[in-house]
Amino acid sequence: TPVALLNHAASARLAVAESLTNIAGTNIGDIKRIKLSANWMSASNHPGEDAGLYAAVKAIGEELCPELGLTIPVGKDSMSMKTAWQENGEEKAVTSPLSLIITAFGAVKDVRKTITPQLRQMDGGSLMLIDLGNKKNRMGGSCLAQVYGKLGQTTPDVDSAQQLKSFYLLMQELVEKELISAYHDRSDGGLFVTITEMAFAGKAGVEIDITGLGKDAASTLFSEELGAVIQVSDNAKEAVLA
């Protein structure tokens, strides 16, 4: 949602994309087996918000979802996301930014193959980052920016629908063949939060090397670009890299 303060269309594309990266560790199969539910929230008639809503709906309804082969058969909307009141004789108002909540759902072929963020110490091996942000590490709308009372300028986005779809299909292949031990998508908080959540779940320590992931450590660790971290055992490493 904070991304919508900078780029309405990007916030909608990210909502769809993160619903896919969230569900990709489950044994579903073809992307067309997934359906989406869209919950739109907007302050209609507030300056700029109607145009922003149009841009967001167009971005996923006419562009991204058709490219991915996804449909949005259900959803709801709340178009009055602005409240106004009087306090001590003074007029006050709060306007909520555009917010799109996407829920992805699909029939699971084999629930026993579901991969969670929990690191498996017995498997050891390596953690690999699959970076769908292509090393751009854009910080706009990030949690780190909010911590410092900032908003940023350039937001993460879906750079390529085909790349996103290829990522999902690759994860399905790795899950089907049981080649990965843990999976966690990168989103709120960025890479640092992704890895620490995996470590907490597995009660494990990790040693990470971010060399080559970007020139700036802060943006490398805290940008909320699309992507995922996977745990790969030494035995499966060659097959996964291939």
Side-chain angles (χ1 to χ4, degrees):
T1 297
V3 170
L5 294 168
L6 293 167
N7 188 325
H8 295 93
S11 72
R13 285 188 289 265
L14 288 172
V16 170
E18 285 191 20
S19 73
L20 279 182
T21 60
N22 268 321
I23 209 172
T26 308
N27 183 214
I28 293 174
D30 187 61
I31 197 168
K32 291 184 179 180
R33 290 168 58 89
I34 295 175
K35 304 300 178 191
L36 305 180
S37 170
N39 183 359
W40 296 92
M41 288 171 275
S42 175
S44 61
N45 296 323
H46 186 75
E49 290 301 305
D50 289 343
L53 178 62
Y54 179 89
V57 173
K58 185 176 188 295
I60 65 168
E62 294 186 11
E63 298 167 359
L64 181 61
C65 286
E67 285 186 69
L68 293 172
L70 291 173
T71 59
I72 308 177
V74 294
K76 64 182 289 289
D77 57 71
S78 302
M79 295 291 105
S80 56
M81 300 300 289
K82 178 181 179 180
T83 183
W85 70 98
Q86 283 190 336
E87 186 174 316
N88 299 324
E90 184 181 355
E91 297 286 342
K92 293 196 172 185
V94 172
T95 303
S96 174
L98 173 76
S99 180
L100 170 61
I101 308 302
I102 293 284
T103 304
F105 51 97
V108 178
K109 295 197 291 184
D110 188 345
V111 71
R112 295 168 297 183
K113 291 184 177 181
T114 299
I115 306 298
T116 76
Q118 181 180 342
L119 292 180
R120 302 291 178 180
Q121 294 191 50
M122 66 193 80
D123 293 349
S126 307
L127 294 180
M128 299 181 185
L129 168 66
I130 302 172
D131 177 22
L132 299 180
N134 304 300
K135 296 185 180 180
K136 293 181 179 177
N137 296 327
R138 295 162 286 196
M139 295 292 292
S142 66
C143 291
L144 185 66
Q146 292 175 61
V147 166
Y148 289 98
K150 305 292 184 183
L151 187 57
Q153 295 178 316
T154 307
T155 71
D157 205 341
V158 179
D159 290 339
S160 164
Q162 188 55 51
Q163 183 187 45
L164 176 61
K165 186 174 183 178
S166 296
F167 164 82
Y168 170 80
L169 295 175
L170 172 62
M171 289 303 103
Q172 289 304 296
E173 182 181 348
L174 298 182
V175 168
E176 179 76 40
K177 294 179 179 178
E178 300 182 305
L179 291 174
I180 52 179
S181 306
Y183 170 93
H184 194 5
D185 67 317
R186 173 173 61 172
S187 57
D188 290 353
L191 180 62
F192 181 83
V193 171
T194 301
I195 293 174
T196 51
E197 286 178 345
M198 296 177 81
F200 292 156
K203 297 181 179 178
V206 296
E207 184 175 316
I208 64 170
D209 179 6
I210 60 172
T211 304
L213 298 183
K215 296 179 180 179
D216 174 60
S219 60
T220 297
L221 290 171
F222 294 101
S223 71
E224 297 172 11
E225 297 281 0
L226 295 168
V229 174
I230 57 175
Q231 180 187 7
V232 182
S233 68
D234 291 333
N235 293 335
K237 187 173 183 179
E238 187 175 339
V240 171
L241 287 174

